[in-house]
Amino acid sequence: MSKSLQAIRGMNDTLPEQTPLWRYLESKVSRLLDNYGYKQIRMPIVEFTELFKRSIGEVTDIVEKEMYTFEDRNGDSLTLRPEGTAACVRAVLEHGLTGGGQVQKLWYIGPMFRHERPQKGRYRQFHQIGVEVFNLDGPDIDAELIVLTWRLWGELGIRDAVKLELNSLGTSEARARYRAALVEYLSSRLGELDEDSQRRLKSNPLRVLDTKNADTQAVLVDAPKMVDYLDEESRVHFEGLKARLDTAGIPYTINPKLVRGLDYYSKTVFEWVTDKLGAQGTVCAGGRYDGLVEQMGGKPTSGVGFAMGIERLILMLETLEQIPEEIARQVDVYLCAFGEAAELAALALSERVRDQLPNLRLQINAGAGSFKSQFKKADKSGALYALILGDDELAQQVVGVKPLRGQGEQQTIAWDALAEHLATCIVQG
Ligand code: HAM
């Protein structure tokens, strides 16, 4: 027997009962970003592999192990984007959007692809909403990014369940000095490090800091601290950010081990983490990448941004039961018509009501059916009211309006008055 076709592991369908919550989240975020003056940009899902190698870094987990890379029919090496920052920088440069020091405040949404081991909150195709800002180099914009996410958590009802972790990685020179000190220290205790950290010590020593291995963590207690190696400019920048967060009343903790898994960061890095999702607790993460544009062939241009994982935020909304009631209901009114003549009239009537109430969610029964079966469908749809149109109603140009969720008695309403009547009894979504 042939094997039945299935979706690829770690790449999920979003089923009709789940999409309302996705759309709710997406519309909340996009409205918030509009209100703060950010503009949407849309980039392709596939880019030249070289783009990600050059920006994310050759010796990162993403580039070394997780990319979906293939050769296309021209022999070019292409990759499904594992994140959005690289492509956004590429697009901005290609179209000269940051030329002459122009400020850009951009956001994007879409699927990203990483060949990670799938588990709750970690998938191979996942979705991010990301924000990138160019040509603003002060801590005020770092603070704005954090403030707007804080507002979002408030609007979504998940603020109490997330915590902000902050760190500064300094300029690349400061980081190089710190890296040298860290390598010297860790090399002196090489035998006590786990195997993976020994490997990382050679390829990407800062990543040893976020090891999960308890023995290596114990060695790290006495390791040199990044904050002691920060250059003056980065230190002042970090102080400026902290002062703004204090003024805005946003709680945070400094996590000196926060280094991020992508190589392009400098100065500020941050993560919003939760303990509600098990192992995959980072719901939103980002930071500054002041050297990246230049490294990609552009003029020196500062950059800062973040991305949030949509699947993880959806899991948060579900876990914390922060699903607004109006999105659970998809239908306001369900129109049942009995007999051919009534069906014809129902179509015209429903279109008239739609003209008058463009936001009304009106579903018209399709496929005919007995009184009982149409009522069953009306009830199952979740509608607040069933409209009933049979031969008698047709003759008198009226409809029966029957409450389905216990809001009073059935009423008879003239066609001409129907829209007005529905407007008074339904709060439209
Ligand atoms: P990232 O930390 O790799 O950063 O990913 C950002 C967020 O995407 C994570 O915090 C998480 O919520 C979500 N995410 C990442 N991988 C997965 C996965 N396999 N399954 C589900 N969700 C996932 C970046 O991608 C940077 N581009 C962020 C940035 C923008 N930095 C500056 N600008």
Side-chain angles (χ1 to χ4, degrees), residues 96-162:
L97 301 187
T98 52
Q102 280 179 85
V103 170
Q104 293 291 344
K105 294 165 76 177
L106 305 172
W107 69 276
Y108 50 83
I109 179 170
M112 309 290 161
F113 303 84
R114 297 183 195 175
H115 197 275
E116 297 190 82
R117 197 169 48 77
Q119 54 175 275
K120 182 182 167 193
R122 186 162 74 189
Y123 311 100
R124 290 182 172 170
Q125 174 174 332
F126 60 98
H127 299 77
Q128 283 185 345
I129 298 178
V131 171
E132 314 292 350
V133 178
F134 298 96
N135 276 324
L136 287 173
D137 44 24
D140 51 349
I141 193 70
D142 303 22
E144 175 172 290
L145 295 181
I146 290 171
V147 166
L148 76 82
T149 45
W150 174 249
R151 174 171 297 279
L152 179 66
W153 313 145
E155 286 187 10
L156 295 174
I158 60 172
R159 197 181 258 180
D160 293 341
V162 288

Side-chain angles (χ1 to χ4, degrees), residues 10 12 14 21-22 25-26 29 62 66 82 110 112 114-129 152-153 156-158 161-162 212 260-262 270-286 307-323:
N12 300 312
T14 307
L21 191 54
W22 280 66
L25 177 63
E26 289 161 9
V29 184
I62 295 179
E66 297 171 359
M112 309 290 161
R114 297 183 195 175
H115 197 275
E116 297 190 82
R117 197 169 48 77
Q119 54 175 275
K120 182 182 167 193
R122 186 162 74 189
Y123 311 100
R124 290 182 172 170
Q125 174 174 332
F126 60 98
H127 299 77
Q128 283 185 345
I129 298 178
L152 179 66
W153 313 145
L156 295 174
I158 60 172
V162 288
K212 302 269 183 295
R260 311 276 299 123
L262 306 97
F270 66 91
E271 291 191 352
W272 288 100
V273 295
T274 180
D275 57 10
K276 305 284 182 220
L277 299 182
Q280 304 307 315
T282 308
V283 291
C284 174
M308 52 185 103
I310 299 185
E311 284 82 355
R312 291 187 191 175
L313 288 172
I314 295 283
L315 283 170
M316 286 284 278
L317 294 173
E318 288 170 346
T319 309
L320 300 173
E321 297 182 5
Q322 290 296 330
I323 302 176

Side-chain angles (χ1 to χ4, degrees), residues 47-60 62-63 67 82-90 261-265 289 291-293 295-296:
E47 299 270 355
F48 288 116
T49 304
E50 190 57 24
L51 173 71
F52 302 114
K53 287 191 176 168
R54 267 172 61 183
S55 54
I56 298 170
E58 297 261 9
V59 281
T60 54
I62 295 179
V63 170
M67 295 207 300
E83 57 104 55
T85 310
C88 190
V89 168
R90 197 258 320 128
L262 306 97
D263 276 357
Y264 47 63
Y265 293 107
Y289 47 86
L292 182 59
V293 174
Q295 189 188 313
M296 309 268 284

Side-chain angles (χ1 to χ4, degrees), residues 101-249:
Q102 280 179 85
V103 170
Q104 293 291 344
K105 294 165 76 177
L106 305 172
W107 69 276
Y108 50 83
I109 179 170
M112 309 290 161
F113 303 84
R114 297 183 195 175
H115 197 275
E116 297 190 82
R117 197 169 48 77
Q119 54 175 275
K120 182 182 167 193
R122 186 162 74 189
Y123 311 100
R124 290 182 172 170
Q125 174 174 332
F126 60 98
H127 299 77
Q128 283 185 345
I129 298 178
V131 171
E132 314 292 350
V133 178
F134 298 96
N135 276 324
L136 287 173
D137 44 24
D140 51 349
I141 193 70
D142 303 22
E144 175 172 290
L145 295 181
I146 290 171
V147 166
L148 76 82
T149 45
W150 174 249
R151 174 171 297 279
L152 179 66
W153 313 145
E155 286 187 10
L156 295 174
I158 60 172
R159 197 181 258 180
D160 293 341
V162 288
K163 291 198 164 51
L164 175 62
E165 297 195 351
L166 277 186
N167 194 18
S168 175
L169 301 181
T171 57
S172 57
E173 298 77 39
R175 215 160 44 254
R177 273 186 285 123
Y178 173 66
R179 191 184 298 116
L182 185 67
V183 169
E184 192 184 326
Y185 169 79
L186 291 176
S187 302
S188 73
R189 301 187 59 175
L190 191 67
E192 297 165 70
L193 304 183
D194 64 284
E195 209 176 303
D196 197 39
S197 295
Q198 292 192 7
R199 193 181 58 79
R200 281 179 163 172
L201 181 59
K202 292 203 187 70
S203 59
N204 199 349
L206 293 189
R207 290 307 305 275
V208 176
L209 294 177
D210 62 13
T211 179
K212 302 269 183 295
N213 182 283
D215 295 337
T216 304
Q217 279 175 348
V219 174
L220 285 171
V221 171
D222 296 324
K225 301 274 176 292
M226 190 123 53
V227 52
D228 299 327
Y229 288 77
L230 272 194
D231 52 290
E232 185 61 9
E233 185 192 326
S234 303
R235 201 189 54 72
V236 171
H237 186 102
F238 201 40
E239 290 306 318
L241 171 61
K242 287 191 285 183
R244 283 168 174 83
L245 297 179
D246 292 338
T247 310

Side-chain angles (χ1 to χ4, degrees), residues 243-259:
R244 283 168 174 83
L245 297 179
D246 292 338
T247 310
I250 298 178
Y252 57 86
T253 51
I254 307 291
N255 176 358
K257 292 184 185 157
L258 181 63
V259 287

Side-chain angles (χ1 to χ4, degrees), residues 345 349 352-353 356 389 393-399 413-419:
L349 178 63
R352 224 166 95 192
V353 172
Q356 291 167 285
L389 191 58
E393 287 83 6
L394 185 59
Q396 294 168 47
Q397 306 227 324
V398 296
V399 279
I413 306 289
W415 290 356
D416 286 342
L418 181 58

